[in-house]
Amino acid sequence: MVYEAGKVSVVIISFNHAPYIEECIESILCQNYKIFEIIIIDNNSTDNTNEILEKYSYNNSISIIKLPVNKGVSGGINEGLTRVSGEYVIFFASDDVMVSDRLHKQVNFMRNTPDADACFGNMLRINSDSSVNSNGLLPLVGLKCWSLADILFSRVKLYSPTQMYKTESFMQAVNKLPDDIRIEDIWTYHKFLTKGFKLYTIPHLLTLYRVHPNNTHTKYKMMMNEKIKILDEYKSEDYYKDALNFIYLEHFSNFGSTSKKDALSLLPKVVFNLRSKYLYIGIARLLLDWRR
């Protein structure tokens, strides 16, 4: 398929985000880069999302696809991929907000970096009422081309709400996401990097990321198990055992604060990593962090 040069296809994955989806859509419509299309994949919302989407049915730059069943994020992305026409593609949650010059900055970077197959940037946490979250900015990223080792052995700062991919590269690297993948971003990064595609970060604020209790990032045990499932596709690789060890270490440090039981169950797997800061962070949290 020939994709339209310079055009950005923004695929919004929507499910029961009626309080937020209008702000999300308007943040895209207000971009100072105007060559884009919006494809909204609604996963059979049961709130009043449909009433809000009706207000945009007149807009020729917006396509609204209402699925009869909830296919999850991966299924929504797969549906969107069959409809994109732009050179670049973004997958965006319907409760997040784009900074007004995001598309301009990312397209400009991609045009001027011929080997870039994707780029990511910084994001700021906001609350349900759109106020700035007390934790504010996530750890900042600068200009960097990421390697496979970076995502295997360090905390990943390829923030998925800031993603922009070359559509052709995405189709070559991924084409279609598995239905059972729950952290589709990590799975995608593995596919890109193991196939030689280039992922960059750029030092710009791109997205306001809405934090509420059901965000995936708060479900640490599920994320650990999903990361292991993704890594298991690469069991024959030399890096497998070391990468699995890092997953245990990373989540041991999280569990020290969030789940003492899970931290203790991981302790025998990580206790001999005496050079890892994550071991000591986890132990300190296990012993000292009793927040509720």
Side-chain angles (χ1 to χ4, degrees):
M1 179 175 177
V2 178
Y3 299 103
E4 186 176 334
K7 185 177 183 180
V8 182
S9 297
V10 182
V11 180
I12 298 177
I13 310 299
S14 164
F15 177 68
N16 284 354
H17 279 158
Y20 317 118
I21 192 168
E22 187 167 3
E23 185 178 7
C24 171
I25 295 169
E26 291 296 329
S27 75
I28 303 167
L29 293 175
C30 291
Q31 290 290 304
N32 56 17
Y33 183 87
K34 297 299 184 183
I35 310 172
F36 63 81
E37 64 177 347
I38 301 173
I39 303 166
I40 302 172
I41 308 295
D42 185 71
N43 265 315
N44 195 28
S45 290
T46 56
D47 60 5
N48 65 322
T49 292
N50 287 334
E51 296 174 26
I52 296 168
L53 293 181
E54 283 299 317
K55 295 192 290 185
Y56 295 96
S57 59
Y58 68 90
N59 193 314
N60 292 331
S61 65
I62 299 178
S63 302
I64 301 171
I65 293 86
K66 299 175 183 179
L67 301 181
V69 295
N70 189 331
K71 295 186 176 183
V73 175
S74 294
I77 289 173
N78 288 336
E79 290 287 339
L81 284 171
T82 66
R83 296 167 169 84
V84 300
S85 62
E87 180 182 4
Y88 309 107
V89 63
I90 289 171
F91 307 109
F92 204 59
S94 55
D95 57 342
D96 292 338
V97 179
M98 285 192 185
V99 175
S100 62
D101 59 351
R102 170 180 170 169
L103 298 188
H104 169 75
K105 285 179 175 175
Q106 288 189 281
V107 171
N108 186 59
F109 174 80
M110 298 286 271
R111 283 174 171 167
N112 289 298
T113 313
D115 70 336
D117 296 290
C119 73
F120 304 74
N122 291 300
M123 64 184 190
L124 176 72
R125 300 178 183 93
I126 59 173
N127 300 313
S128 294
D129 63 358
S130 297
S131 61
V132 176
N133 185 269
S134 59
N135 290 320
L137 283 168
L138 278 82
L140 293 174
V141 298
L143 178 61
K144 176 180 177 177
C145 182
W146 283 64
S147 69
L148 181 61
D150 289 325
I151 70 163
L152 293 176
F153 304 116
S154 63
R155 287 209 162 140
V156 178
K157 296 176 186 175
L158 297 171
Y159 301 131
S160 60
T162 71
Q163 65 193 263
M164 174 183 281
Y165 296 98
K166 284 182 180 175
T167 306
E168 187 172 348
S169 298
F170 193 93
M171 298 305 292
Q172 290 178 16
V174 173
N175 190 30
K176 183 178 181 181
L177 279 74
D179 293 334
D180 63 341
I181 291 296
R182 298 180 66 183
I183 49 173
E184 67 290 336
D185 50 349
I186 301 294
W187 183 89
T188 298
Y189 305 156
H190 274 264
K191 292 298 180 186
F192 264 73
L193 292 171
T194 55
K195 294 180 180 180
F197 291 95
K198 303 290 187 181
L199 306 181
Y200 280 84
T201 50
I202 57 177
H204 300 297
L205 177 63
L206 302 177
T207 297
L208 307 182
Y209 171 67
R210 200 175 304 273
V211 177
H212 36 82
N214 292 322
N215 284 124
T216 299
H217 79 278
T218 64
K219 303 173 183 177
Y220 292 122
K221 190 168 185 178
M222 179 277 287
M223 291 190 70
M224 182 185 75
N225 292 333
E226 285 292 304
K227 287 178 183 178
I228 293 171
K229 181 170 73 174
I230 291 167
L231 185 63
D232 280 348
E233 294 186 37
Y234 305 92
K235 272 188 174 180
S236 62
E237 300 294 339
D238 293 340
Y239 57 73
Y240 174 78
K241 287 184 179 179
D242 289 338
L244 180 62
N245 181 58
F246 180 78
I247 292 173
Y248 289 142
L249 274 168
E250 181 183 21
H251 286 275
F252 173 70
S253 71
N254 290 331
F255 291 148
S257 296
T258 61
S259 174
K260 306 296 183 186
K261 180 180 177 181
D262 288 321
L264 288 171
S265 70
L266 282 181
L267 186 57
K269 297 180 185 293
V270 302
V271 69
F272 297 108
N273 290 275
L274 299 180
R275 295 184 178 181
S276 173
K277 66 178 180 180
Y278 295 112
L279 173 64
Y280 300 104
I281 292 171
I283 290 173
R285 289 174 173 172
L286 182 62
L287 296 176
L288 303 174
D289 190 345
W290 293 94
R291 74 184 89 173
R292 293 186 181 274

